[in-house]
Amino acid sequence: MSAMRRTLTLSLIAGALLAAPLAALAQDIKPRLIRFGYGLNENSNQGRAVKFFASEVERLSGGKMKVRAIGAAALGPDVQMQQALIGGAQEMMVGSTATLVGITPQMALWDTPFLFNNVREADAILDGPIGAKVMATLEPKGLVGLVYWENGFRNLTNSKRPVQKLEDLDGIKLRVMQNNVFLESFRTLGANAVPMPFSELFSALETKTVDGQENPFNTILSSKFFEVQKYLTVTNHVYSPWIVLVSKRWWDGLSKDEQKVLRDAAVASRDFERKDTREAAGKAVAELKTKGMQVNELPPAEAARMRDRLTRVNASIGANIGMDLWNETQAALAKLRAAPTVARK
Ligand code: KDG
C-alpha cells in the first residue's frame, strides 16, 4: 500500500474513532423530551401549573429532561390523551379523574357529590393512603399517577335562567363530563344531561347545542364561558381533582434518577397549583360579575334539596368502587371532621 493510501486510511480510522464518542456525547447532551398535554388554555390555572412543572423538571434534571407543554387539547381531549399514554405515543398529561372511570372504576370515588366539605379534607384524603390506593389502580392499565392537582368545587352556569330552585333545572340541556355519576346526578336533578368532551364545550354553548355546564370558577373564567353563559349559580356540588399522569410504558424505561426528578417536580407543582388555583378562585367570581354574569347562591333549603337528591347516587358509587374503599373513605372523613382543626396557615 502506498504511503499516501496508508495515511488516508489511518486518518479515516482516526476520524471514525473520534466521531463515536462525540456522537455519544451529543446523545448525552440532547435532553430527553417529554410531551405534556392538557385541555385548558395556556392562561389558566392548569396551564400555569404545567409550565411550573416544566421548569422544575429542567431545573432538577440539570437540563437533561425537557417538558414540552401542549395545551388547549391540541393533543386531543382527555380520553384521547389517556389512550396515547397507554400506547406510549405521548409521555404525560393532566386531566380530570372523572374521565378515567372507564379505565379504573375506583376513580369514581372522586365524583361523589359533596364528598369533601372543604379543601382541607380534599388535600388530606387525596394526598393520603386513600388517594394513593386509588392512584395505584391505574398502573395495571398502563398509567402512572404522580399527584393530584385541584380543579376545584364545581358550579352551574346556563344561558336560559337563574337556577334558584331545583325545578329551574328542568329541561335544561346541561353538558356533563363523560362519566356516569355526573350523568346520573344531573338527570336526577331534572336536567337533560349531555356527556361531551371539554374541548367541544365552548362551541356547544355558543351554538346553544347545550344550555349550560358545570365547572369551577377558574375554568368558567379562563375558558371565557361568560361570553356564552349569562347565569352562574354557586352550588359547590362536587370537588373535582385533576391527576398528573405518565405513560407506564415510557416510565418503565426511565432511570431511577429520572423517575425521581419527575416525582419531585410533580409534588412541587401540586403545591404551586393548589396555591395558585385557590388565589385565582377567590377573585374569579368578582371578575365573572364584571364580565356580565348574573351570580346567585342557592337558598339553603334548595341546597339541602340538591344535596339530598344528588347523594342518591352514592349507593351506586359505593357498589362500583367497592364498599371497602367507600367505607374507608367515610371513616377517614369522619376522623378528620372529629379532629380539632388547626388554624389554617
Ligand atoms: O381537559 C380539561 C379537563 O382537564 C378538565 O378541565 C375536565 O373539568 C373538566 C371538564 O369539565 O371537562
Side-chain angles (χ1 to χ4, degrees):
M1 183 189 292
S2 71
M4 170 146 347
R5 277 180 65 83
R6 199 170 37 253
T7 312
L8 183 63
T9 308
L10 284 172
S11 55
L12 282 173
I13 291 167
L17 286 173
L18 256 178
L22 283 175
L25 191 64
Q27 187 58 36
D28 281 351
I29 292 172
K30 203 170 87 184
R32 186 189 284 277
L33 187 62
I34 302 162
R35 290 161 295 185
F36 191 133
Y38 62 97
L40 271 62
N41 296 327
E42 187 181 349
N43 181 22
S44 68
N45 55 329
Q46 195 178 65
R48 291 190 294 273
V50 176
K51 204 167 163 188
F52 180 91
F53 174 79
S55 60
E56 276 297 282
V57 167
E58 189 143 6
R59 182 179 70 83
L60 293 171
S61 70
K64 290 194 178 69
M65 300 169 82
K66 191 166 178 50
V67 172
R68 211 170 106 228
I70 306 162
L75 294 180
D78 288 9
V79 175
Q80 186 178 321
M81 290 197 286
Q82 289 158 10
Q83 292 307 317
L85 263 61
I86 290 168
Q90 180 182 328
E91 291 75 32
M92 291 189 70
M93 70 169 282
V94 62
S96 176
T97 55
T99 50
L100 283 167
V101 171
I103 294 173
T104 174
Q106 289 83 349
M107 281 290 167
L109 172 61
W110 313 129
D111 304 329
T112 306
F114 304 106
L115 179 69
F116 300 129
N117 292 333
N118 52 56
V119 293
R120 183 179 74 87
E121 292 177 7
D123 294 357
I125 300 295
L126 289 166
D127 298 347
I130 293 170
K133 188 179 287 183
V134 173
M135 211 179 250
T137 64
L138 291 167
E139 296 219 9
K141 310 289 178 144
L143 295 169
V144 176
L146 294 185
V147 288
Y148 295 99
W149 286 355
E150 177 164 299
N151 189 358
F153 283 98
R154 303 179 76 92
N155 296 287
L156 281 172
T157 68
N158 82 88
S159 56
K160 290 179 87 88
R161 53 182 171 262
V163 173
Q164 309 271 13
K165 57 186 183 306
L166 290 198
E167 288 70 20
D168 293 336
L169 273 172
D170 284 358
I172 284 206
K173 282 180 289 183
L174 190 84
R175 177 270 178 179
V176 296
M177 290 190 279
Q178 298 146 291
N179 169 296
N180 288 338
V181 171
F182 279 77
L183 205 54
E184 195 185 330
S185 296
F186 285 96
R187 280 181 178 156
T188 59
L189 289 182
N192 173 3
V194 180
M196 181 186 295
F198 183 82
S199 49
E200 297 171 13
L201 179 50
F202 186 90
S203 55
L205 293 168
E206 193 174 35
T207 56
K208 299 278 189 287
T209 306
V210 291
D211 305 313
Q213 62 86 47
E214 42 83 54
N215 248 293
F217 297 139
N218 284 324
T219 300
I220 298 166
L221 186 62
S222 65
S223 298
K224 301 188 186 313
F225 291 159
F226 54 84
E227 292 177 354
V228 289
Q229 297 281 268
K230 175 74 183 157
Y231 306 105
L232 165 59
T233 302
V234 180
T235 52
N236 293 320
H237 51 272
V238 64
Y239 175 92
S240 209
W242 282 321
I243 185 167
V244 178
L245 296 171
V246 188
S247 162
K248 183 161 183 354
R249 185 176 292 191
W250 178 75
W251 174 264
D252 289 346
L254 299 180
S255 68
K256 291 292 173 224
D257 288 349
E258 289 172 319
Q259 291 178 353
K260 185 176 185 317
V261 164
L262 295 182
R263 283 196 186 283
D264 292 349
V267 170
S269 70
R270 175 197 65 194
D271 299 342
F272 168 87
E273 194 272 346
R274 286 173 178 169
K275 185 171 181 296
D276 175 67
T277 292
R278 289 164 194 173
E279 283 169 2
K283 294 181 282 194
V285 176
E287 284 185 56
L288 289 167
K289 284 179 179 171
T290 63
K291 301 286 186 184
M293 289 199 87
Q294 185 178 310
V295 181
N296 75 290
E297 305 228 353
L298 271 183
E302 285 306 310
R305 285 182 71 208
M306 174 181 268
R307 182 184 281 254
D308 171 63
R309 193 79 67 83
L310 278 179
T311 48
R312 287 179 196 169
V313 295
N314 288 6
S316 65
I317 296 173
N320 289 338
I321 69 170
M323 287 315 290
D324 289 351
L325 179 59
W326 176 267
N327 294 331
E328 186 185 353
T329 305
Q330 298 306 324
L333 285 167
K335 198 163 167 229
L336 272 171
R337 290 163 185 164
T341 46
V342 292
R344 256 216 255 136
K345 42 187 185 304

